[in-house]
Amino acid sequence: EIVLTQSPATLSVSPGETATLSCRASQSVSGKLAWYQQKPGQAPRLLIYGASTRATSIPPRFSGSGSGTEFTLTISSLQAEDFAVYYCQQYSHWPPALTFGGGTKVEI
Amino acid sequence: QVQLVQSGAEVKKPGASVKVSCKASGYTFTDYFLQWVRQAPGQGLEWMGWINPKSGDTNSPQKFQNRVTMTRDTSISTAYMELRRLRSDDTAIYYCARHDYYTSTTDWGQGTLVSVSS
């Protein structure tokens, strides 16, 4: 089983600043890494897939990077609506066995 | 547009079973795997397994293999997840999500709250 470790657990930032979230995999996920945003009472929302491709309608202030076992989600110019919990997910196997990281809470 | 509509909240006693449904629309039901993911209160996301609606094949992590059954009815584009021998720590929101090979889980249901309490 591939284990994903996210850091930090909580990130305190001010609106307008940049947030950098990390996700480390226990083995290579061949670029099959996705990022999700979740707000209270809502289902997760896909932000990034394939490590760096923004999903439909996701603003360009969200960007993903990385390869192998180290990945980063960067949120530039944080807006009020960006304060949420972010999860990374690997989907490198087919058929698709999934693993999620423990999440990073981005707070004001 | 793609929609996944799940059944309503359930309250169950320990030892009982629950069956959650997920009705798909806006795409060809048999063209995409469906994933089941749960989230306990205040906790992270936990993968429970997938079903291939075309073949009916399923897979789930060992943690759930003896207690979960995933099925589908292609005539009504609906998938089901049954969890047996419920415990209090099964209290969670259960989600279904459409899985794409390239983009992973792009579309999610609204979630179904299952509460287990004596």
Side-chain angles (χ1 to χ4, degrees):
Chain A
E1 178 191 346
I2 299 175
V3 177
L4 298 180
T5 303
Q6 290 189 241
S7 62
T10 304
L11 187 60
S12 298
V13 295
S14 299
E17 293 185 337
T18 295
T20 302
L21 289 65
S22 295
C23 177
R24 173 176 293 176
S26 59
Q27 59 187 268
S28 175
V29 298
S30 305
K32 294 288 184 69
L33 194 286
W35 290 93
Y36 294 83
Q37 177 193 68
Q38 189 179 34
K39 296 179 180 179
Q42 297 184 15
R45 173 194 181 197
L46 178 67
L47 298 175
I48 302 285
Y49 64 89
S52 61
T53 303
R54 277 189 301 277
T56 303
S57 304
I58 301 303
R61 65 178 182 273
F62 292 92
S63 62
S65 63
S67 62
T69 61
E70 301 280 346
F71 299 89
T72 300
L73 174 69
T74 302
I75 313 170
S76 306
S77 298
L78 270 156
Q79 309 288 304
E81 62 265 30
D82 300 335
F83 292 95
V85 179
Y86 293 83
Y87 295 95
C88 59
Q89 176 215 64
Q90 69 80 25
Y91 56 106
S92 62
H93 295 298
W94 189 265
L98 306 179
T99 314
F100 292 92
T104 292
K105 181 179 181 180
V106 177
E107 62 176 24
I108 301 175
Chain B
Q1 75 282 18
V2 173
Q3 275 198 300
L4 298 171
V5 178
Q6 299 183 223
S7 49
E10 303 262 12
V11 179
K12 297 292 184 180
K13 293 195 180 301
S17 298
V18 68
K19 192 171 187 177
V20 178
S21 68
C22 172
K23 182 171 178 59
S25 62
Y27 72 99
T28 302
F29 180 63
T30 51
D31 281 354
Y32 296 87
F33 280 53
L34 272 175
Q35 302 277 12
W36 289 93
V37 175
R38 75 177 185 179
Q39 186 170 38
Q43 303 300 308
L45 301 167
E46 182 176 31
W47 177 63
M48 296 187 69
W50 55 256
I51 182 166
N52 179 349
K54 181 176 289 186
S55 65
D57 290 344
T58 64
N59 187 39
S60 57
Q62 193 153 5
K63 173 178 182 177
F64 295 108
Q65 280 182 4
N66 293 330
R67 294 201 298 138
V68 71
T69 300
M70 291 169 284
T71 58
R72 91 290 191 219
D73 184 339
T74 57
S75 68
I76 55 173
S77 300
T78 300
Y80 304 91
M81 187 282 300
E82 180 181 34
L83 188 61
R84 300 180 295 279
R85 301 192 297 278
L86 289 167
R87 309 185 292 253
S88 57
D89 62 356
D90 290 319
T91 294
I93 297 174
Y94 290 76
Y95 294 101
C96 62
R98 185 178 76 139
H99 189 95
D100 180 272
Y101 177 82
Y102 296 103
T103 64
S104 190
T105 43
T106 52
D107 305 284
W108 293 63
Q110 83 276 18
T112 296
L113 175 62
V114 176
S115 300
V116 183
S117 173
S118 56

